[in-house]
Amino acid sequence: MSTPGMDTDVFEQFIEQLHRYVRERLIPAEREIIETDRIPDEILDEMRDMGLFGLTMPEEFGGAGMNVTQYAQTIRTLSYAMPAFRSIISINIGMVCSALKNGGTDAQKAEWLPRLAAGEIASFGLTEPGSGSDSAAMQTMAVRSGNGWVLNGTKRYITNAPFAKVALIMARTSKEALPKNAHVSAFLVPMDTPGVSVGKSDKKMGQSGSHIADIIMEDVHLPADALLGDTEGRGFVTAMQSLDNGRISVGAAATGYARRALDSALRYANERKAFGEPIAQFQLIQQMLADSEIEIYAAESMLADVTARADRGENVLRKAAAFKVFATEMCGRVVDRVVQVYGGAGYLAEYDAERFFRDARIYRIYEGTTQILQLQIAKHMLREWKAEQG
């Protein structure tokens, strides 16, 4: 079943407007954000007015109703600017909205989707101090209490935790590890619920203006309808389905940021002179520029393919993982070459190349590390091969 998405003409006008907004408003604001480590409230309000928090939410809930292809193109366009702008909206859209659409009850959708589309900020709580992709090691527990639940545990490295109004929290509803991760359920937790607290923002290598912190839950009492989908044991499955969208979003972000870095290197190579001519004239500089262009084009092609497949209703788990791995590793190689093109200046904080290098490093880690995704891809390949052998 194909996903129609936003009207094509309206979408093209939106992308053109966003392209201008990124270059005329967001990029000039980057220095201030680096100095203050926060996105100004007026820019957040502008992003809300543009509908950036509700890109894929159904129109009946106040969203734009974009399909996956349109969403990914929007993220790639936005991610030409520093990563904080994508980070603040992406958890709402790629993770929590996706989980609600796939697994929420009608009442949960009616309550939360309009609030998320309007720009209330959400967090997604899977990772813990002792577990990430390993759900069997998850410690956060949800225990039935009367008609509701009591949650206890700590979530680590949670994006947007200091700003969030709601978090989608994964918690064990069974002490035993069950097949297909049925011991994990998902809960919608308003952040002002008694017993919920947020640790101080972690200091990071890069991505100024984007914040991560611990979410600590101590005897947090939740009503029965906080359980996503009103069903136990579906939390991890819902989380993994949401991660497909999240991985496409990270891949699209890495592709957009690689383009920004390469454009910067092109400009610098034409301005910087050595031996009496621009360094852009030197063949080994040209090789680094060309290799970067080739790899960005490959990532753009993968992005177009995986999103088209998702919109046709195909299971894209493996291809979304493959795209995320390639695009993020590609971005790492591009920003490394960009530092090299800048030479000594690339190591100085006053030039952009140094920041691009630090910002891009996390793309290979969050929403599934390259290594975890390689294992996942191989596992699915081997499973399919065995099935074909009968």
Side-chain angles (χ1 to χ4, degrees):
M1 188 180 73
S2 64
T3 308
M6 185 189 275
D7 175 82
T8 304
D9 290 341
V10 174
F11 177 71
E12 286 177 0
Q13 290 170 5
F14 167 79
I15 283 291
E16 195 176 310
Q17 177 194 9
L18 181 62
H19 181 89
R20 286 197 309 272
Y21 181 70
V22 165
R23 282 154 180 77
E24 295 170 10
R25 179 72 168 122
L26 298 186
I27 288 176
E30 288 179 347
R31 283 291 157 195
E32 178 191 344
I33 293 167
I34 290 167
E35 287 167 12
T36 62
D37 199 23
R38 68 188 305 271
I39 301 172
D41 289 340
E42 60 269 24
I43 288 182
L44 286 176
D45 288 340
E46 290 163 9
M47 292 171 70
R48 290 185 177 103
D49 291 343
M50 289 178 71
L52 292 177
F53 284 87
L55 298 174
T56 61
M57 312 223 184
E59 290 179 52
E60 67 259 36
F61 298 115
M66 287 184 184
N67 59 28
V68 180
T69 300
Q70 292 168 337
Y71 166 58
Q73 192 175 337
T74 301
I75 291 297
R76 189 183 70 180
T77 303
L78 179 66
S79 297
Y80 192 83
M82 67 191 305
F85 300 116
R86 183 204 75 101
S87 187
I88 200 74
I89 67 167
S90 65
I91 306 299
N92 276 38
I93 306 162
M95 311 289 281
V96 180
C97 165
S98 177
L100 277 162
K101 286 197 300 183
N102 291 335
T105 65
D106 288 343
Q108 287 168 341
K109 292 174 189 176
E111 178 180 1
W112 289 107
L113 287 178
R115 293 169 63 174
L116 295 171
E120 285 195 17
I121 294 167
S123 282
F124 185 87
L126 175 62
T127 303
E128 297 186 357
S131 74
S133 305
D134 176 16
S135 74
M138 186 180 291
Q139 296 295 308
T140 298
M141 282 292 301
V143 179
R144 285 191 180 275
S145 175
N147 290 327
W149 298 88
V150 178
L151 263 65
N152 281 282
T154 297
K155 295 297 180 178
R156 167 104 355 131
Y157 309 138
I158 305 303
T159 301
N160 295 339
F163 318 120
K165 299 289 187 186
V166 63
L168 186 65
I169 298 289
M170 306 299 135
R172 302 181 80 100
T173 41
S174 166
K175 288 187 178 178
E176 302 301 316
L178 299 176
K180 298 185 178 177
N181 297 295
H183 56 286
V184 180
S185 301
F187 294 86
L188 288 154
V189 181
M191 295 295 282
D192 60 0
T193 307
V196 176
S197 59
V198 177
K200 70 178 198 308
S201 289
D202 293 305
K203 288 181 73 69
K204 309 185 306 303
M205 178 190 291
Q207 302 224 356
S208 297
S210 168
H211 288 253
I212 60 172
D214 288 0
I215 296 178
I216 303 113
M217 292 157 288
E218 297 174 298
D219 292 332
V220 176
H221 288 261
L222 297 172
D225 63 5
L227 176 65
L228 185 72
D230 198 27
T231 309
E232 271 188 63
R234 292 278 304 160
F236 198 79
V237 174
T238 304
M240 291 303 104
Q241 289 172 339
S242 301
L243 281 172
D244 283 349
N245 272 348
R247 285 164 184 165
I248 288 172
S249 172
V250 173
T255 305
Y257 209 47
R259 175 64 66 191
R260 166 79 180 281
L262 180 56
D263 285 351
S264 170
L266 272 168
R267 185 172 60 250
Y268 185 82
N270 278 287
E271 292 171 354
R272 172 81 166 90
K273 290 188 175 177
F275 306 103
E277 60 181 325
I279 63 171
Q281 299 302 312
F282 302 152
Q283 287 183 337
L284 291 179
I285 296 290
Q286 291 176 3
Q287 181 186 26
M288 289 189 282
L289 298 175
D291 283 348
S292 298
E293 175 67 23
I294 290 162
E295 291 200 77
I296 292 170
Y297 174 53
E300 289 170 346
S301 299
M302 290 178 78
L303 176 59
D305 178 70
V306 71
T307 56
R309 288 173 182 274
D311 284 329
R312 290 198 297 269
E314 293 183 26
N315 181 339
V316 296
L317 184 149
R318 198 165 98 190
K319 286 183 167 54
F323 167 59
K324 195 266 184 184
V325 169
F326 181 81
T328 58
E329 294 286 340
M330 172 278 293
C331 186
R333 290 188 292 270
V334 169
V335 296
D336 186 65
R337 291 186 197 113
V338 170
V339 170
Q340 199 71 9
V341 169
Y342 269 74
Y347 204 69
L348 302 182
E350 68 182 276
Y351 292 90
D352 287 336
E354 178 265 352
R355 164 167 61 105
F356 297 152
F357 188 86
R358 289 184 293 102
D359 283 347
R361 189 61 186 85
I362 189 64
Y363 288 143
R364 289 180 267 170
I365 295 172
Y366 62 15
E367 313 266 2
T369 65
T370 291
Q371 289 69 33
I372 282 290
L373 296 183
Q374 286 169 327
L375 292 175
Q376 192 177 63
I377 291 164
K379 182 177 77 175
H380 283 268
M381 289 169 64
L382 293 167
R383 186 183 296 163
E384 283 182 21
W385 183 84
K386 283 180 182 173
E388 286 168 5
Q389 303 310 302

